[in-house]
Amino acid sequence: MAATFTVSMPAPSASRRRRLLADQTQNIILAAGPASSDGSIREHYSYGSTAVPLAQSNGGNVTVSSENQLSGSKAQAHAALLTIGWGLLIPGGIMIARYGRRWDPLWFRVHMYSNVLGLLMGFGGLGLGFDLVGGWEAPSHKVAVHRDLGMAVVVLGFVQAVAGFLRLGKDHPKRKYWSFGHQWLGRSAVILAIANIY
């Protein structure tokens, strides 16, 4: 979608109009949402704002293209993948490890598969997130914080997966240190993930 905004300037000459526009910007709020049958927007999701320098306009006409802004379906897929992966599967896998040990060895398989699936969903959601904002550069501070927390969560999750595959045997003298680190690294990742979801 593209929109054109016209700014009317009462200046008597084109040169004076250009000077007036030189230091001015117009803030545009970008939002999207589903439309009802009559064309009105039922609800919308704000994706921030952008400042358009009026000096770059053609006589006061400014064209803003929103093709690189967050799209509804990608944003929903991003949210769904990460909410299910990091909000349900991984916390569920942790709960199984904490309270389901009486079902040995089934608890371990459920713990491992649910966490691996949650981590894979995290990688998919992370990729969608970068696609939504057009790469590493975030369009706003709020998105930058969300991006950085998300990256930290996925890195911690990846370290957890590697640590899980390199786990020490139950009789190893340093197993208690490995277990302590594995548990608290996992808990930290989930706490950051849930904070990032909300």
Side-chain angles (χ1 to χ4, degrees):
M1 177 180 85
T4 301
F5 302 90
T6 303
V7 178
S8 300
M9 301 299 292
S13 68
S15 62
R16 181 170 161 85
R17 185 170 29 239
R18 280 194 293 276
R19 281 195 308 266
L20 286 172
L21 291 173
D23 296 326
Q24 293 187 18
T25 59
Q26 178 66 46
N27 289 322
I28 307 294
I29 297 172
L30 305 169
S36 61
S37 60
D38 66 356
S40 62
I41 297 177
R42 292 184 304 217
E43 58 186 65
H44 61 274
Y45 309 98
S46 177
Y47 296 124
S49 64
T50 186
V52 178
L54 296 180
Q56 295 176 3
S57 65
N58 181 13
N61 293 323
V62 178
T63 302
V64 179
S65 173
S66 63
E67 73 182 43
N68 291 329
Q69 298 304 318
L70 304 181
S71 67
S73 60
K74 279 186 188 177
Q76 288 171 354
H78 168 77
L81 279 172
L82 292 166
T83 300
I84 293 168
W86 279 96
L88 296 174
L89 287 174
I90 290 180
I94 290 173
M95 298 301 281
I96 290 292
R98 176 92 174 139
Y99 300 108
R101 291 185 183 243
R102 63 179 167 260
W103 299 302
D104 197 29
L106 178 64
W107 76 266
F108 179 74
R109 289 192 179 104
V110 172
H111 168 72
M112 183 180 68
Y113 290 130
S114 111
N115 286 341
V116 168
L117 181 58
L119 182 61
L120 291 175
M121 291 176 87
F123 283 128
L126 184 70
L128 273 175
F130 277 112
D131 186 46
L132 280 166
V133 296
W136 182 258
E137 293 301 319
S140 71
H141 173 70
K142 185 177 178 182
V143 173
V145 170
H146 181 71
R147 175 204 63 205
D148 294 346
L149 277 175
M151 285 294 298
V153 166
V154 172
V155 167
L156 287 174
F158 181 74
V159 169
Q160 278 292 83
V162 171
F165 288 110
L166 299 176
R167 70 186 176 279
L168 302 173
K170 289 181 181 179
D171 298 329
H172 195 282
K174 295 186 179 179
R175 170 69 181 235
K176 65 181 177 181
Y177 302 113
W178 178 91
S179 293
F180 180 82
H182 183 67
Q183 290 169 6
W184 281 101
L185 194 63
R187 289 173 183 152
S188 301
V190 169
I191 288 167
L192 287 176
I194 291 172
N196 208 24
I197 289 168
Y198 290 101

